[in-house]
Amino acid sequence: MRGLPTLAPWGQIVRFATVGGINTLTFYACYLPLRRMLPYFAAYTGGFALSMVCSFLLNTYFTYRTRPTWKKFLLFPLTQVTNYAVQSVGLVLLVSWCGLNTAVAPLAAALIALPFTFLVSRRILRPPAQTDPPPARSGEPV
């Protein structure tokens, strides 16, 4: 029986946030040298793609402690789509409805998006929960 999803252990959440920080640094470390050779948007796209591959590998091995597969790799960009969508909506709402400063609002929107991105990545990268067979009744063969 599948039942309700189990709560994520705090260690997994901390590892996810750590990978996010590493991913940001990886992006920037790729973006800066690429920017010298390419137009800025091409450099941005290249840095984003490289950091997403790094994020995938770190999240599979470190955050969720599972094996990467091609299926997971191909589904992983959905985490970035979710992140972008939630951050974009959050940014607009925080600036236009809440009057938050445009310099601070993206950081707040990123924090708001974190749980959504975590849940999507956990769903994609973590192996499905194994269900235990019902216990055998006494007197029945196992």
Side-chain angles (χ1 to χ4, degrees):
M1 181 167 108
R2 213 148 151 115
L4 296 173
T6 58
L7 294 176
W10 279 107
Q12 219 173 55
I13 295 169
V14 169
R15 290 190 304 268
F16 181 78
T18 302
V19 168
I22 292 169
N23 188 47
T24 301
L25 294 174
T26 302
F27 162 76
Y28 207 58
C30 293
Y31 171 74
L32 289 178
L34 287 174
R35 191 180 59 127
R36 293 182 185 156
M37 299 179 287
L38 303 168
Y40 77 93
F41 195 76
Y44 170 82
T45 303
F48 185 84
L50 291 169
S51 68
M52 191 164 43
V53 171
C54 179
S55 178
F56 169 75
L57 293 171
L58 285 172
N59 274 303
T60 53
Y61 286 119
F62 178 67
T63 303
Y64 301 110
R65 297 184 174 156
T66 186
R67 300 182 96 190
T69 65
W70 283 109
K71 180 181 176 183
K72 290 175 187 176
F73 181 73
L74 295 173
L75 289 172
F76 189 72
L78 292 175
T79 65
Q80 300 304 309
V81 170
T82 302
N83 190 22
Y84 182 79
V86 174
Q87 280 193 46
S88 298
V89 169
L91 178 65
V92 170
L93 293 176
L94 289 169
V95 170
S96 61
W97 288 11
C98 300
L100 199 60
N101 182 300
T102 57
V104 177
L107 300 174
L111 288 175
I112 291 168
L114 192 63
F116 296 97
T117 308
F118 174 78
L119 291 173
V120 171
S121 70
R122 186 171 190 244
R123 176 80 174 159
I124 291 171
L125 298 178
R126 210 179 86 187
Q130 299 296 322
T131 57
D132 294 329
R137 293 185 208 164
S138 60
E140 290 184 10
V142 177

